[in-house]
Amino acid sequence: MTLELLLQAAASGLLLGGIYALIALSLALIFGVMRVLNFAHGDLLLIAMYGTVLLNNAFGLHPYVSALVLVPLMGALGWAMFVAFIRPLLASSVLMQAQLTIGISFMIQSAALMIFGADLMIVHTEFENSTWSIGGIVIGVPLFTAFVVAVCSCAFVGWFLTRTETGYRIRATAQDPVMAQLCGVAVPRVQKAVFAASIAVLAIAAGSLMTFFHVTPHTGVQFSILSLLIVVLGGLGDLKGTFVGAMLIGLAESLASAAFDSALAPAVIYILFGMALLFRPRGLFGKGSIA
């Protein structure tokens, strides 16, 4: 591998890692507040991606404009999902929660297959083929824009959690829900709001992805697995670790694809994940729950 190819792969991997971070951040937030691992997370992203395609086909909306339309709709979907499925199982075992969310995942996949078929679907934009060349490194404008949007969204989430009263309530609920309840925090309301907001964030990730990526009924599984790997690598419930873990996963995936073969890239990610479980079971910074 030449130095130029190495730098190209590293740049692409870091940019992609920023988008992975936004997707995984919402999953980490749900686990941090409710201790629920949502195995249908990627499939909820899938719904937003198909929504982006439908809005583009019907009204010609740009993916980022579609994201603004889908944010409240995905939030409403998250609210309904929490009330109907998640809240009744908050006190149940992890196995019960996994069975439920995996079942929801299968339902969404089957529905997508029946409605849209197995064909690959994309959204065309006016700058889809635009690139910048910096020191011999070619960067796609759609990928770079998606990275900026994703990182800014992650930064906003971090600011909201650390600088607002609602953010303090969310953090208190994540640290000790019983004590938070005793201090006057409406824990059930906070949990419902966090779940709905976390699903709404997926609309932004979907709009970013659809400027350069495609969607099929099985895309959701890919992002569900990837998000779970990132959350565990960064530390269950550790948002800072999740962000860094996403950047590492994106970098490892891109470098492995360039050095070996694209089919071997997942193997490198799983090896990295296994080493993290072995040597850092509480995540990269040692602040998460034990995986």
Side-chain angles (χ1 to χ4, degrees):
M1 183 193 304
T2 64
L3 178 60
E4 184 177 351
L5 180 60
L6 178 66
L7 293 175
Q8 179 70 59
S12 299
L14 290 174
L15 293 177
L16 198 57
I19 304 168
Y20 290 167
L22 180 60
I23 300 170
L25 195 69
S26 61
L27 180 61
L29 191 57
I30 290 172
F31 180 85
V33 174
M34 283 157 272
R35 295 298 185 267
V36 172
L37 272 179
N38 180 16
F39 287 86
H41 193 71
D43 298 284
L44 293 168
L45 173 67
L46 176 76
I47 293 175
M49 293 175 76
Y50 273 120
T52 303
V53 173
L54 290 177
L55 288 173
N56 178 262
N57 292 341
F59 305 106
L61 296 184
H62 191 278
Y64 289 119
V65 179
S66 298
L68 297 178
V69 176
L70 289 170
V71 163
L73 298 178
M74 291 299 295
L77 175 62
W79 180 89
M81 181 177 172
F82 178 84
V83 172
F85 301 111
I86 303 301
R87 185 167 61 188
L89 288 181
L90 284 178
S92 302
S93 66
V94 175
L95 180 60
M96 287 290 293
Q97 295 170 358
Q99 289 174 333
L100 173 68
T101 54
I102 289 172
I104 294 173
S105 172
F106 287 152
M107 289 173 57
I108 295 174
Q109 290 176 54
S110 299
L113 188 60
M114 288 189 294
I115 296 171
F116 300 103
D119 294 337
L120 181 149
M121 302 183 74
I122 61 175
V123 172
H124 293 288
T125 63
E126 62 275 9
F127 60 89
E128 60 184 333
N129 295 318
S130 301
T131 59
W132 292 327
S133 181
I134 304 174
I137 300 174
V138 179
I139 298 175
V141 173
L143 178 58
F144 180 78
T145 305
F147 170 80
V148 172
V149 170
V151 171
C152 288
S153 299
C154 291
F156 175 78
V157 171
W159 172 84
F160 184 84
L161 291 175
T162 57
R163 293 291 186 270
T164 66
E165 183 178 345
T166 303
Y168 297 151
R169 293 175 183 270
I170 293 172
R171 291 165 62 198
T173 302
Q175 291 174 7
D176 192 332
V178 175
M179 184 59 69
Q181 184 89 43
L182 292 174
C183 291
V185 177
V187 171
R189 185 182 301 173
V190 168
Q191 291 174 333
K192 181 165 58 177
V194 166
F195 193 90
S198 297
I199 302 306
V201 165
L202 294 179
I204 302 174
S208 301
L209 280 169
M210 291 309 298
T211 59
F212 65 92
F213 202 66
H214 61 268
V215 60
T216 71
H218 303 295
T219 301
V221 176
Q222 173 187 345
F223 283 105
S224 288
I225 295 174
L226 193 64
S227 299
L228 287 168
L229 291 179
I230 291 171
V231 168
V232 174
L233 176 64
L236 291 170
D238 183 1
L239 300 187
K240 185 185 296 183
T242 296
F243 183 84
V244 175
M247 302 299 285
L248 289 177
I249 289 292
L251 186 61
E253 182 182 41
S254 185
L255 290 176
S257 298
F260 306 108
D261 185 89
S262 58
L264 294 177
V268 174
I269 295 176
Y270 291 133
I271 291 172
L272 182 64
F273 174 71
M275 292 176 63
L277 283 180
L278 184 62
F279 297 108
R280 304 290 293 179
R282 288 189 177 273
L284 295 173
F285 300 111
K287 296 181 179 179
S289 301
I290 295 179

